[in-house]
């Protein structure tokens, strides 16, 4: 039977899970009480007496204080890692409970127009508001799927699963997953859904009394700082002003839209002013930062008329506009999808415009005089060339070139303190667990996140020490000291000796091999030198070479990774080597188990860019706050965390094996070895000469390859009918 994409589903005819409905009913009951009590504070409710409201208040208080099992929000860095977690739970444990996965529209949307759009999010919202998405109006069809029900084949599901269920039903998997998450006991999501206050609110995540687990938490400090920061360009402000002007012209909440337009116009004009002074300048970007010796943040806010009273007006205007849009959406739901004109674009500002206002209000609250976090922010103006001009020139669209501004100006509110975001989460939750295979060094977590951790654990690897070797090599095959610093990396002797060392290792390393460098600049420099000298051709004689591209799309990288894996899954004698950079796509979050990586080679130490404005500001901030690690220690820790993360790409399970090789003289020093993960530093062997390290490495490879040969099944009789299945 065909399903009408526009038809609202009937609950009984769609086999809704009774457990799901019962749990959702309880949630809706609580939400309804909250809504009634909140509304009663703003207006008189007909039919409800003071005694009725008092009774509802008692019910609400009792519900909040009642002992309930906490829910678990399990966050990790990417959607791909979420899928790995779901698979581990589903395939390797008998644990079964109501789970859900939260993901982006880009991952879950199946509407052809939205999938082709530049912004899936904005297009989805517009289709929804205009009632032009049949999948959205029918998303509840997914909730009745027997596959997702208790005991179903997809009882523990990931985003690909729910998309596969939703697509034939012409239903929206994005909104279905959010509905299922409302009653799930375990919710998986990328960890910006938990850290970012705006994303958390939009996703409906309530942390009060619940448990948060953050996997891959080695990046949590940087992620929390990013979540607490906010940036808006003059183009976004101009768009906000334009939309508000349109609402004013249509007579819709004229005073409120005028307030927001005034805010946008004021900030945009200030960003674009002539004669602005910039104290930080590099090749293309100019940056000015407050506070300055001659101008405090309070003075800047006063000059921009961002007084507490004015900010209060903006907040009030935003609230009224959001209530107005909510009422339009309610009317749309009541009239049904037959009336697509209830939310035309000229009746309300876009969700993107409201996000700009919401972000500004959030950071202005923090930087205001008297705020707990007022000194934890730096306000910056960043000016850089408009990248669209290059695109216009390449395509020879002169008219487009002339219509675009030469520069883009961005107003940035950078928090130097990840505790701005994280301490709020810690106060709300029952427990927080940070976990990663590469949390070392541990020194800075408590001070940076402003949380006292009741317990910490740094464990050994599950792999027996005999199944891996870790080497640090001081000098290359020609005796050149291997120290990939800024000055030495330009020396041809260094470049050639590193190339010869890579060639020698590639000649003996079986299967896959990963090589990490501190930057794309060094990677490109070495590849160019080896190409010119013929060294790269020699490496290719032993292994097929893959190079991680700088930038590029996710699809492009996925194709590169697939080619690497496919090459190693096919019978061949050469294997493959992937060159990448620390903090790049290859170095984080990807599983290179077994033959996909038998050797990891590290070149250099990836210290953050010393003259990067944010890095300099963070170092200064830490030096000013004695409770934190000083700026130099913080700076060092960032580098060694990146090293530990990259080294963890191989050795993924107890039966795996591999070699870790540090072609970097600084790792023969005990102080630097001590900053590596516990499972590595206790087994690091230091060699002054490359020849000695190579001899030890060859013996390790021979032993492991010999052991693998013993473990291989006996060769079957040639006459037997044998089917071989290659499982990646």
């Amino acid at each position: 039977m065909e399903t009408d994409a526009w038809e609202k589903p009937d609950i009984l005819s769609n086999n809704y899970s009774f457990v799901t409905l019962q749990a959702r009913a309880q949630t809706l009951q609580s939400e309804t009480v909250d809504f009634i009590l909140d509304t009663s504070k703003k207006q008189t409710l007909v039919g409800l007496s003071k005694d009725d409201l008092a009774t509802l208040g008692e019910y609400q208080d009792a519900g909040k204080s009642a002992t309930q099992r906490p829910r678990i929000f399990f966050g990790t860095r990417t959607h791909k890692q979420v899928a790995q977690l779901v698979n581990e739970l589903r395939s390797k444990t008998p644990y079964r409970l109501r789970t859900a996965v939260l993901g982006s529209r880009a991952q879950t949307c199946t509407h052809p127009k939205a999938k082709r759009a530049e912004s899936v999010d904005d297009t989805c919202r517009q289709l929804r508001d205009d009632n032009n998405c049949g999948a959205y109006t029918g998303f509840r069809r997914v909730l009745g799927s027997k596959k997702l029900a208790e005991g179903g084949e997809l009882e523990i599901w990931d985003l690909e699963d729910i998309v596969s269920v939703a697509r034939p039903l012409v239903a929206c998997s994005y909104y279905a997953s959010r509905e299922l998450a409302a009653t799930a006991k375990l919710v998986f999501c990328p960890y910006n859904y938990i850290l970012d206050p705006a994303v958390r609110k939009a996703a409906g995540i309530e942390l009060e009394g619940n448990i948060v687990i953050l996997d891959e938490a080695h990046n949590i400090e940087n992620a929390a700082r990013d979540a607490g920061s906010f940036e808006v360009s003059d183009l976004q402000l101009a768009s906000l002003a334009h939309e508000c002007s349109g609402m004013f012209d249509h007579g819709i909440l004229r005073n409120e839209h005028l307030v927001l337009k005034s805010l946008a116009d004021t900030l945009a004009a200030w960003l674009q002013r002539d004669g602005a002074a910039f104290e930080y300048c590099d090749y293309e970007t100019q940056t000015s930062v407050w506070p300055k010796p001659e101008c405090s943040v309070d003075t800047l806010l006063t000059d921009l008329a961002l007084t507490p009273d004015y900010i209060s007006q903006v907040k009030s205007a935003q609230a009224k506009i959001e209530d107005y849009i909510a009422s339009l959406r309610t009317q749309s739901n009541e009239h049904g999808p037959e009336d697509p004109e209830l939310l035309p674009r000229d009746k309300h500002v876009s969700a993107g415009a409201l996000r700009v206002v919401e972000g500004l209000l959030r950071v202005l609250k923090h930087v205001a005089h008297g705020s707990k976090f007022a000194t934890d922010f730096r306000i910056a103006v960043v000016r850089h060339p408009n990248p669209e001009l290059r695109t216009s020139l390449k395509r020879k669209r002169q008219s487009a070139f002339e219509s675009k501004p030469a520069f883009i100006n961005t107003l940035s509110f950078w928090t130097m303190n990840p505790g701005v975001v994280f301490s709020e989460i810690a106060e709300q939750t029952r427990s927080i667990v940070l976990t990663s295979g590469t949390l070392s060094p541990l020194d800075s977590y408590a001070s940076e996140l402003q949380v006292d951790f009741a317990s910490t654990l740094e464990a050994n690897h599950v792999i027996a020490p005999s199944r891996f070797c870790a080497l640090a090599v001081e000098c290359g095959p020609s005796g050149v000291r291997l120290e990939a610093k800024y000055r030495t990396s330009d020396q041809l002797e260094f470049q050639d000796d590193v190339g010869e060392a890579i060639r020698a290792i590639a000649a003996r390393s079986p299967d896959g091999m990963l090589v990490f460098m501190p930057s794309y600049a060094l990677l490109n420099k070495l590849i160019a030198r080896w190409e010119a000298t013929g060294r790269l051709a020699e490496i290719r004689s032993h292994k097929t070479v893959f190079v991680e591209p700088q930038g590029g799309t996710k699809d492009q990288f996925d194709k590169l990774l697939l080619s690497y894996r496919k090459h190693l899954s096919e019978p061949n004698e050469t294997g493959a080597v992937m060159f990448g950079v620390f903090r790049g796509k290859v170095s984080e979050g990807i599983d290179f188990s077994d033959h996909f990586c038998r050797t990891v080679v590290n070149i250099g130490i990836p210290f953050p860019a010393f003259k990067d404005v944010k890095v300099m500001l963070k170092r200064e901030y830490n030096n000013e706050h004695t409770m934190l690690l000083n700026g130099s220690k913080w700076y060092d820790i960032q580098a060694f965390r990146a090293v530990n993360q990259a080294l963890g790409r191989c050795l993924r399970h107890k039966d795996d094996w591999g070699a870790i090789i540090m072609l970097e003289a600084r790792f023969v020093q005990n102080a630097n070895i001590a900053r590596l993960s516990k499972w590595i530093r206790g087994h690091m062997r230091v060699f002054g000469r490359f020849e000695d390290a190579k001899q030890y490495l060859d013996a390790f490879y021979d032993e492991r390859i010999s052991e693998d040969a013993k473990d291989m099944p006996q060769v079957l009789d040639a006459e037997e009918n044998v089917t071989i299945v290659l499982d990646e």
Side-chain angles (χ1 to χ4, degrees):
M1 183 177 69
E2 293 185 1
T3 302
D4 184 352
W6 297 98
E7 182 182 355
K8 288 185 178 179
D10 183 288
I11 290 180
L12 296 178
S13 66
N14 280 276
N15 299 315
Y16 270 55
S17 163
F18 174 75
V19 173
T20 300
L21 284 174
Q22 185 182 46
R24 186 59 182 149
Q26 292 171 350
T27 302
L28 288 173
Q29 180 177 334
S30 174
E31 290 177 352
T32 301
V33 171
D34 293 343
F35 174 77
I36 292 173
L37 291 175
D38 288 343
T39 305
S40 69
K41 298 174 183 178
K42 304 174 185 177
Q43 63 188 70
T44 301
L45 298 179
V46 179
L48 287 177
S49 66
K50 291 183 179 180
D51 290 341
D52 293 333
L53 294 174
T55 300
L56 290 175
E58 292 173 2
Y59 171 86
Q60 184 187 55
D61 293 340
K64 290 180 178 179
S65 62
T67 302
Q68 297 178 352
R69 290 183 178 180
R71 303 173 69 205
I72 300 173
F73 292 94
F74 201 132
T76 189
R77 289 187 65 243
T78 65
H79 290 294
K80 183 172 291 186
Q81 289 165 334
V82 167
Q84 291 173 357
L85 287 169
V86 171
N87 184 59
E88 292 288 311
L89 176 65
R90 180 166 50 195
S91 63
K92 297 185 179 179
T93 76
Y95 192 44
R96 293 294 177 267
L97 76 169
R98 197 159 59 251
T99 65
V101 179
L102 290 172
S104 68
R105 288 176 172 86
Q107 296 288 326
T108 54
C109 180
T110 56
H111 194 288
K113 182 177 180 180
K115 290 294 287 183
R116 292 194 303 267
E118 182 177 348
S119 172
V120 177
D121 287 345
D122 290 343
T123 306
C124 167
R125 292 186 181 98
Q126 194 60 57
L127 288 167
R128 179 199 65 187
D129 287 350
D130 290 348
N131 274 326
N132 283 331
C133 182
Y136 168 68
T137 60
F139 76 84
R140 290 183 177 84
R141 297 185 185 106
V142 177
L143 308 186
S145 170
K146 292 182 179 179
K147 292 182 178 180
L148 301 176
E150 184 176 353
E153 61 184 279
L154 297 178
E155 179 182 8
I156 306 293
W157 52 269
D158 64 17
L159 292 180
E160 289 185 0
D161 295 327
I162 198 168
V163 169
S164 69
V165 170
R167 183 177 282 112
L169 298 175
V170 195
C172 177
S173 52
Y174 174 75
Y175 282 99
S177 64
R178 291 179 62 160
E179 186 80 359
L180 291 168
T183 57
K185 297 301 181 185
L186 173 59
V187 179
F188 294 100
C189 59
Y191 57 46
N192 68 305
Y193 279 60
I194 297 170
L195 295 176
D196 191 310
V199 177
R200 189 166 70 237
K201 177 183 176 182
I205 294 177
E206 295 289 344
L207 298 181
E208 189 71 40
N210 291 321
I211 296 170
V212 167
I213 301 174
L214 297 174
D215 191 24
E216 299 292 336
H218 53 277
N219 283 324
I220 205 68
E221 293 175 18
N222 294 335
R225 278 201 307 276
D226 290 343
S229 302
F230 180 73
E231 296 184 343
V232 60
S233 71
D234 50 0
L235 298 182
Q236 290 174 296
L237 291 168
S239 178
L240 170 61
H242 177 74
E243 290 189 38
C244 290
S245 181
M247 296 301 103
F248 182 88
D249 292 343
H250 282 82
I252 300 171
L253 296 178
R254 301 186 74 180
N255 290 337
E256 287 73 17
H257 285 105
L258 190 60
V259 169
L260 299 192
K261 180 180 182 302
S262 173
L263 172 68
D265 284 338
T266 298
L267 294 179
W270 179 70
L271 286 173
Q272 296 168 351
R273 71 196 187 281
D274 294 329
F278 297 93
E279 57 266 32
Y280 301 98
C281 300
D282 60 22
Y283 178 65
E284 288 189 327
T285 304
Q286 299 170 298
T287 307
S288 185
V289 179
W290 285 263
K292 303 177 186 292
E294 70 279 8
C295 183
S296 68
V297 169
D298 288 341
T299 301
L300 174 64
L301 296 179
T302 301
D303 291 345
L304 292 172
L306 296 176
T307 63
D309 287 343
Y310 182 69
I311 293 173
S312 179
Q313 291 180 41
V314 173
K315 188 174 182 179
S316 176
Q318 178 212 28
K320 290 181 180 179
I321 292 170
E322 288 184 339
D323 288 344
Y324 162 75
I325 295 174
S327 69
L328 288 181
R329 190 164 289 123
T330 300
Q331 293 173 30
S332 172
N333 292 336
E334 289 173 353
H335 285 75
E338 293 79 12
D339 186 0
E341 297 302 319
L342 282 171
L343 283 180
R345 299 188 182 188
D346 61 352
K347 292 295 184 182
H348 66 91
V349 295
S350 67
L354 288 177
R355 287 198 300 273
V356 169
V357 178
E358 182 180 357
L360 284 170
L361 286 173
R362 175 170 57 84
V363 291
L364 287 173
K365 176 187 71 174
H366 288 316
V367 301
H369 180 73
S371 166
K372 175 182 177 182
F373 299 114
T375 62
D376 295 327
F377 280 81
R378 300 293 180 265
I379 300 177
V381 174
V382 181
R383 178 171 294 176
H384 59 85
N386 188 342
E388 292 189 24
L389 296 186
R390 298 183 184 127
T391 304
S392 299
L393 282 174
K394 287 178 182 178
R395 297 177 181 176
K396 297 183 179 179
R397 295 179 178 175
Q398 195 62 30
S399 60
F401 173 80
E402 291 173 352
S403 65
K404 298 179 185 298
F407 293 92
I408 291 178
N409 302 279
T410 301
L411 175 60
S412 303
F413 296 82
W414 295 328
T415 178
M416 302 291 105
N417 176 12
V420 171
V421 165
F422 203 84
S423 60
E424 178 185 354
I425 296 173
E427 289 171 1
Q428 294 181 18
T429 55
R430 178 170 179 163
S431 299
I432 295 181
V433 179
L434 303 185
T435 178
S436 174
T438 52
L439 280 177
S440 296
L442 295 172
D443 303 6
S444 68
Y445 283 101
S447 61
E448 285 286 325
L449 300 177
Q450 296 188 359
V451 173
D452 292 327
F453 291 96
S455 60
T456 60
L457 171 66
E458 194 174 6
N460 291 313
H461 209 298
V462 296
I463 293 177
S466 61
R467 300 189 69 82
F468 74 92
C469 73
L471 314 178
V473 186
E474 184 173 7
C475 296
S478 299
V480 175
R481 182 174 170 82
L482 300 177
E483 197 168 22
K485 292 183 176 180
Y486 178 74
R487 293 177 181 176
T488 56
S489 61
D490 279 336
Q491 297 173 1
L492 298 183
E493 295 84 356
F494 168 83
Q495 297 175 13
D496 292 343
D497 230 20
V498 170
E500 173 56 22
I502 296 294
R503 184 210 62 77
I505 296 169
R508 285 305 317 273
S509 172
D511 303 320
M513 174 174 160
L514 302 177
V515 180
F516 292 109
M517 302 187 193
S519 67
Y520 287 106
L522 180 59
L523 172 60
N524 295 334
K525 187 185 300 181
L526 292 181
I527 292 292
R529 172 64 179 175
W530 299 341
E531 186 82 65
T533 61
R535 189 73 73 204
L536 190 61
E538 295 176 4
I539 295 173
R540 286 195 176 110
S541 70
H542 301 293
K543 295 204 178 293
T544 300
V545 173
F546 296 84
V547 180
E548 177 184 356
Q550 184 173 5
T553 66
K554 178 180 179 299
D555 288 342
Q556 289 171 333
F557 176 74
D558 287 345
K559 288 179 181 178
L560 177 72
L561 187 61
L562 180 62
S563 298
Y564 173 83
R565 292 184 183 277
K566 185 177 180 181
H567 180 80
L568 289 169
S569 297
E570 296 173 347
N572 65 79
E573 297 180 358
T574 62
V577 56
M578 175 81 81
F579 289 93
V581 299
F582 296 104
R583 304 186 187 90
K585 294 183 179 69
V586 175
S587 70
E588 300 205 18
I590 298 179
D591 187 341
F592 291 97
S593 59
D594 300 316
H595 63 287
F596 292 122
C597 181
R598 291 302 185 194
T599 306
V600 175
V601 179
N602 164 56
I603 298 171
I605 301 177
F607 291 102
F610 191 79
K611 292 187 177 181
D612 180 89
V613 175
K614 287 186 180 180
V615 172
M616 289 192 289
L617 292 174
K618 176 60 178 170
R619 292 184 65 172
E620 292 172 3
Y621 173 85
N622 276 40
N623 286 334
E624 293 167 0
H625 293 74
T626 56
M627 68 177 116
L628 303 176
L629 293 178
N630 67 47
S632 295
K633 288 184 178 179
W634 171 85
Y635 183 74
D636 289 348
I637 282 177
Q638 308 313 303
F640 287 93
R641 283 213 183 114
V643 170
N644 286 326
Q645 183 63 14
L647 298 183
R649 292 312 90 209
C650 70
L651 305 175
R652 306 296 292 181
H653 57 84
K654 68 180 182 66
D655 296 320
D656 208 347
W657 66 267
I660 292 171
I661 305 165
M662 317 296 279
L663 293 182
E664 171 55 57
R666 285 169 287 180
F667 277 107
V668 304
Q669 301 169 11
N670 290 332
N672 288 330
I673 293 175
R675 294 171 175 177
L676 298 175
S677 294
K678 180 180 179 180
W679 64 272
I680 299 176
R681 63 177 180 256
H683 302 279
M684 180 66 72
R685 290 178 176 267
V686 174
F687 294 89
R689 300 191 325 140
F690 180 81
E691 291 77 6
D692 297 334
K694 180 69 166 47
Q695 185 177 1
Y696 181 86
L697 184 63
D698 289 348
F700 171 78
Y701 285 144
D702 289 341
E703 180 182 358
R704 294 313 330 155
I705 293 171
S706 174
E707 289 294 324
D708 277 359
K710 292 179 183 178
D711 294 338
M712 290 179 64
Q714 297 295 316
V715 178
L716 300 174
D717 191 291
E719 296 181 359
E720 293 187 46
N721 185 14
V722 179
T723 300
I724 299 177
V725 178
L726 294 177
D727 183 7
E728 294 188 14

